[in-house]
Amino acid sequence: VQLSEAALNSARAYLQNGDLDEVKVSLDEAARLADTLEEGGLRSRLEAEVGLAVAEAYASSDPQKAIIAARKSVSAFEAVGVQH
């Protein structure tokens, strides 16, 4: 869990610095680590967080991908009981 969150935080930091290549690497790592968790609320929440970060990362360069990621993320947050 902590490693996935750390990779997610790294992706956000890289995004703020405009380093999209590192954002993608960190997001892939966060997603990979989230996939190793047992099915359930924590895994779903981390997957939703990764989806939100993907939406942020691709908002300018690939809006369609960003929209798809954002929609999936909202659905995942709703599934774990987070209201928007």
Side-chain angles (χ1 to χ4, degrees):
V1 172
Q2 291 175 335
L3 291 175
S4 181
E5 288 177 337
L8 187 56
N9 288 335
S10 292
R12 289 184 174 131
Y14 287 126
L15 183 60
Q16 286 181 341
N17 291 328
D19 190 345
L20 293 182
D21 290 336
E22 289 299 325
V23 169
K24 292 172 187 175
V25 170
S26 293
L27 288 175
D28 287 346
E29 181 69 2
R32 185 189 67 74
L33 290 166
D35 284 345
T36 66
L37 299 174
E38 288 185 36
E39 291 286 335
L42 186 56
R43 178 179 175 167
S44 295
R45 184 190 61 81
L46 285 171
E47 289 172 340
E49 291 280 350
V50 170
L52 185 59
V54 168
E56 292 175 54
Y58 286 93
S60 295
S61 63
D62 190 344
Q64 188 64 32
K65 183 172 185 168
I67 290 168
I68 291 167
R71 286 182 178 153
K72 286 181 182 178
S73 183
V74 167
S75 294
F77 278 124
E78 289 174 343
V80 295
V82 175
Q83 299 296 316
H84 53 89

